């Protein structure tokens, strides 16, 4: 999962803020990993958004971490 990758990058000294836009069945698992790795200040969950593009327009990188999208909009 991408949370462990963020943990590794933070550990290597990268100054990262990882914004997760959307919601789904893995939310609890993601929250548990964030807490386990103590990166609550680096990962922000925004939940489902009507307009996710406001987050994407100022991002340096877009990570599409899903294996399958039934109706991708990216």
């Amino acid at each position: 999962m991408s949370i462990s990758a963020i943990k590794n990058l933070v550990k290597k000294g990268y100054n990262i803020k990882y914004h997760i836009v959307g919601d789904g069945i893995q939310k609890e698992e993601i929250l548990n990993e964030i807490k386990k790795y103590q990166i609550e200040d680096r990962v922000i969950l925004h939940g489902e958004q009507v307009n996710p593009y406001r987050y994407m327009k100022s991002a340096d990188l877009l990570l599409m971490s899903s294996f399958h999208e039934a109706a991708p909009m990216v």
Side-chain angles (χ1 to χ4, degrees):
M1 195 179 306
S2 59
I3 301 302
S4 62
I6 299 301
K7 175 206 54 142
N8 291 333
L9 291 170
V10 168
K11 188 177 177 180
K12 290 181 179 184
Y14 288 93
N15 185 17
I16 292 176
K17 288 284 186 181
Y18 185 52
H19 297 262
I20 299 176
V21 178
D23 210 354
I25 60 174
Q26 291 182 310
K27 183 177 181 178
E28 285 301 314
E29 182 181 341
I30 291 169
L31 287 169
N32 290 335
E33 281 197 51
I34 292 168
K35 189 172 182 173
K36 176 176 131 183
Y37 297 138
Q38 300 177 345
I39 54 173
E40 295 92 344
D41 60 330
R42 302 300 186 113
V43 182
I44 299 100
L45 279 70
H46 296 284
E48 187 175 339
Q49 299 291 313
V50 174
N51 182 12
Y53 301 106
R54 64 185 176 143
Y55 299 99
M56 293 162 45
K57 72 179 182 180
S58 59
D60 294 321
L61 179 73
L62 173 66
L63 174 64
M64 183 77 162
S65 62
S66 60
F67 292 113
H68 172 72
E69 287 291 323
M73 299 288 290
V74 176

